[in-house]
Amino acid sequence: MNDFLFHNKYLEEGQKISKVDFPDTMEVECKSPSNIALIKYWGKYENQFPRNPSVSFTLTKSFTSTRILYKPSQDKKFSLEYFFNNNRNKDFEEKLIKYFDNIQQYFPFLKSLQLRIESYNTFPHSAGIASSASAFSALALCLCTMEKQIFKNNNDLSQKASFIARIGSGSACRSVYNGVVLWGKTLSITGSSNEVAKDINKLVHPVFKTYYDTILIIDPSPKKLSSSDGHKLMYNHAYADARYKQANENLKILLGALSAGNELEFAQIIENEAMSLHGLLLSSSPGYILLHPNTLIIIEKLQNFRMDTKFQFAFTLDAGPNIHILYSSKIREKVIDFIESELKQYCKNGSWIDDKISTL
Ligand code: DP6
């Protein structure tokens, strides 16, 4: 499959649509959760294509809700206003204007519309939860719903939304789907693509569908390194090729573990991915230390807890200091007790977020 299959399809479809038939209520509202990567996307090339395939769990409680009010503009020119938590946010608005420049080719009807976009998140800013993933996924779902409302088509909304979300933020394309989601071309999964994500829930053992994600907030301050700048560090990274090879190998093992319900192997792979991501960050030019001393303390405590109890749980990290603990419903009480008694004291103001893989 080439990298432009969906690009060509959506470009063609957009051009064919001519009759604009505005509905009575020109308003759409969509929600989309964030996701946590198990196999990390770190490194990209033009058009927001990933250097390696990634896999994530889509979450449940941590989501963005977005509403778009739209109307034909008087001067037949596109315009938008963006509000976050009821306040106009000019910084994100500027980002969105560039984003709309990129996606208008797939939604020609947008050209003569005036949009008011309103969003809020159910999770705190910089809590170690990717807000760009849920933000662009919710926005893309709104735009595809608008298209459906206006043209009354029966197109597959999720796939186009995943494609459109990816252009805003790579990992956002995974948030369009629930449960366990793959993004990126791999020989292991038929129909996988660099352009859109794919849900792989059918291949996953039921035990993983009971998984929780408890997020320990160690440092809620804004990110030291934006994801876009982080991906750029991979351009000249000495370990880049080895990393992409490792990600593909880890993916194969993870897919096996996910389908067999092998929680031990699952944990080994995803912890290796988290550590590797930070290994890449440390060895970049310039190098970045995004781990906090408390991150290391907690990791050590988790490792000891596992050794003592033989419980099967796993931890992962994004490009930041906060820790995600992933575990099945079978050991939920024990894990929560351990967090309360041993880990909470290392979290900023004792804070942690209780989330869960989304149901299918
Ligand atoms: C470490 O998707 O946020 O969370 O495509 O530049 O918006 P852009 O990057 P982004 O990168 C996510 C990086 C990661 C790993 C992952 O989610 O796979």
Side-chain angles (χ1 to χ4, degrees):
M1 192 189 288
N2 72 37
D3 271 348
F4 295 98
L5 190 82
F6 292 98
H7 161 84
N8 292 334
K9 175 176 148 89
Y10 297 135
L11 206 62
E12 246 173 63
E13 275 176 11
Q15 276 151 8
K16 267 193 228 147
I17 296 170
S18 53
K19 193 178 149 283
V20 179
D21 190 9
F22 286 110
D24 298 336
T25 317
M26 291 189 275
E27 183 182 323
V28 284
E29 187 161 5
C30 295
K31 283 180 186 169
S32 184
S34 187
N35 67 74
I36 177 68
L38 308 174
I39 301 287
K40 307 291 179 186
Y41 148 55
W42 198 243
K44 62 178 167 182
Y45 60 103
E46 71 267 20
N47 296 317
Q48 203 97 285
F49 290 141
R51 284 282 173 200
N52 62 263
S54 56
V55 174
S56 55
F57 277 170
T58 298
L59 302 180
T60 305
K61 294 186 197 163
S62 309
F63 64 81
T64 299
S65 179
T66 296
R67 187 160 84 117
I68 304 184
L69 303 157
Y70 61 99
K71 58 181 177 194
S73 64
Q74 301 297 348
D75 56 2
K76 297 221 176 311
K77 275 194 193 139
F78 173 78
S79 68
L80 75 81
E81 285 182 326
Y82 176 77
F83 296 82
F84 187 71
N85 290 339
N86 295 321
N87 296 316
R88 182 107 180 241
N89 183 325
K90 290 261 189 183
D91 287 347
F92 200 62
E93 195 172 289
E94 265 169 43
K95 265 197 187 166
L96 285 182
I97 289 170
K98 287 196 194 119
Y99 172 63
F100 275 86
D101 272 350
N102 291 331
I103 59 165
Q104 271 195 12
Q105 55 184 322
Y106 310 110
F107 295 117
F109 66 92
L110 283 174
K111 277 196 197 90
S112 53
L113 290 185
Q114 209 179 316
L115 311 184
R116 179 188 163 95
I117 305 175
E118 302 169 350
S119 273
Y120 68 84
N121 290 343
T122 54
F123 52 92
H125 193 59
S126 304
I129 297 174
S131 58
S132 66
S134 53
F136 280 102
S137 167
L139 181 58
L141 283 163
C142 279
L143 294 171
C144 291
T145 309
M146 266 169 75
E147 186 181 53
K148 247 189 148 82
Q149 250 178 21
I150 298 172
F151 300 107
K152 301 178 180 63
N153 67 33
N154 279 320
N155 296 348
D156 174 2
L157 188 144
S158 321
Q159 201 165 56
K160 185 163 181 181
S162 180
F163 176 87
I164 295 294
R166 187 201 88 239
I167 297 168
S169 176
S171 56
C173 73
R174 297 186 309 235
S175 271
V176 167
Y177 297 100
N178 280 325
V180 190
V181 184
L182 165 87
W183 168 41
K185 222 167 9 180
T186 163
L187 292 176
S188 308
I189 302 285
T190 326
S192 56
S193 157
N194 284 340
E195 292 186 275
V196 293
K198 183 179 169 66
D199 95 64
I200 54 168
N201 295 304
K202 281 205 194 90
L203 308 176
V204 174
H205 188 279
V207 71
F208 293 110
K209 298 176 186 171
T210 74
Y211 260 52
Y212 285 85
D213 177 8
T214 299
I215 307 152
L216 306 180
I217 312 296
I218 293 158
D219 184 357
S221 24
K223 279 187 177 182
K224 278 196 224 160
L225 173 71
S226 74
S227 297
S228 316
D229 289 341
H231 290 288
K232 283 186 197 143
L233 295 172
M234 290 304 284
Y235 290 165
N236 300 312
H237 202 295
Y239 304 149
D241 290 341
R243 162 59 195 158
Y244 304 137
K245 185 163 171 270
Q246 175 201 36
N248 277 286
E249 283 163 5
N250 277 349
L251 172 71
K252 262 195 222 148
I253 304 171
L254 181 77
L255 290 173
L258 282 171
S259 86
N262 187 337
E263 294 183 84
L264 177 66
E265 207 166 41
F266 171 85
Q268 283 165 351
I269 292 297
I270 79 150
E271 291 180 9
N272 176 258
E273 280 288 307
M275 305 281 217
S276 299
L277 172 67
H278 284 270
L280 290 166
L281 282 158
L282 288 164
S283 51
S284 298
S285 308
Y288 281 88
I289 305 173
L290 300 186
L291 301 171
H292 187 280
N294 287 0
T295 314
L296 301 177
I297 294 175
I298 292 180
I299 290 177
E300 199 176 11
K301 284 191 168 279
L302 284 170
Q303 286 170 336
N304 291 338
F305 179 54
R306 180 159 49 208
M307 221 143 55
D308 296 344
T309 60
K310 307 280 177 285
F311 291 150
Q312 311 272 4
F313 59 82
F315 68 82
T316 188
L317 304 154
D318 258 341
N322 303 316
I323 299 186
H324 293 243
I325 309 176
L326 305 175
Y327 54 93
S328 78
S329 54
K330 287 181 293 192
I331 55 166
R332 173 148 169 92
E333 238 174 83
K334 304 277 190 314
V335 174
I336 298 290
D337 284 351
F338 185 69
I339 292 170
E340 285 286 352
S341 61
E342 297 290 328
L343 307 182
K344 201 174 148 173
Q345 57 193 298
Y346 300 101
C347 299
K348 189 86 183 182
N349 303 324
S351 66
W352 50 277
I353 293 176
D354 192 26
D355 213 328
K356 197 177 186 317
I357 183 171
S358 56
T359 43
L360 321 172

